[in-house]
Amino acid sequence: MTVYKVLADIVDALRTNHLEHEAIRAEMATKKDLAAIRAEMATKKDLAAIRAEMATKKDLAAIRAEMATKKDLAAIRAEMATKGELAEVAEDLKKLGLQFEAFRHDTKITLEMISELMGRTGQHKKDIASLDRRVSRVENHLELKPLSNGTGDQ
């Protein structure tokens, strides 16, 4: 497992914890929201009808028991990373990114050098083949019988 993968898993876990915390906050109605709802309600008659439909105190107690307590929220906050820890992770990711880019650059240069060497090797092979043909022609020429000089002497 690479350092980058470990850091990515940590960031994912932190992001998940943060999203869960935000979801809990969104589900809990604030006093301000309740006041806005009350302001929007119509008459006392409407309030009485709504109260009749609302859960009893016992139901409310059960709902409150199910909701996260302040202690639970404190535990969630304690598990979440601090801004300093996230900054440290971001800095480490930045360093890894720079190292990767340097590695990629070096690899590209190495591949270009290998390609150039392969091209030169191919040219040398052509030159060697050309020299071999010339040597063969000279050797074949030397193996021929000498030409007569036209004087009848052989």
Side-chain angles (χ1 to χ4, degrees):
M1 188 177 262
T2 64
V3 173
Y4 184 77
K5 174 72 173 140
V6 170
L7 292 176
D9 289 346
I10 290 171
V11 170
D12 270 341
L14 294 174
R15 187 175 293 125
T16 302
N17 279 343
H18 178 70
L19 292 175
E20 289 173 357
H21 177 70
E22 290 300 319
I24 290 170
R25 277 189 168 176
E27 289 175 6
M28 296 171 60
T30 63
K31 288 182 180 180
K32 187 176 181 180
D33 295 335
L34 291 175
I37 291 170
R38 286 186 183 133
E40 291 175 8
M41 291 181 171
T43 63
K44 289 183 178 180
K45 184 178 180 182
D46 294 334
L47 286 174
I50 291 171
R51 284 187 182 134
E53 293 174 5
M54 289 173 66
T56 63
K57 289 183 180 180
K58 185 178 180 182
D59 294 335
L60 288 175
I63 291 171
R64 285 186 182 132
E66 291 176 3
M67 290 173 62
T69 63
K70 288 182 180 180
K71 186 177 180 181
D72 295 334
L73 289 175
I76 291 171
R77 285 186 181 125
E79 290 176 5
M80 292 175 60
T82 63
K83 287 182 181 179
E85 290 169 333
L86 288 176
E88 186 178 325
V89 169
E91 183 67 27
D92 290 344
L93 286 175
K94 185 178 178 181
K95 287 178 185 175
L96 283 173
L98 291 173
Q99 289 174 353
F100 176 73
E101 285 301 318
F103 171 76
R104 215 173 104 207
H105 177 72
D106 292 345
T107 302
K108 181 180 176 185
I109 289 173
T110 303
L111 288 175
E112 288 173 357
M113 291 171 61
I114 289 171
S115 176
E116 185 178 336
L117 287 173
M118 288 175 67
R120 286 183 184 178
T121 302
Q123 184 60 42
H124 289 312
K125 284 182 181 180
K126 289 178 187 176
D127 292 342
I128 290 170
S130 175
L131 285 173
D132 281 342
R133 284 192 303 273
R134 287 180 181 174
V135 167
S136 294
R137 277 191 240 138
V138 168
E139 286 175 348
N140 289 338
H141 180 72
L142 292 175
E143 290 177 3
L144 292 176
K145 293 180 183 177
L147 292 174
S148 63
N149 56 9
T151 60
D153 298 342
Q154 283 197 1

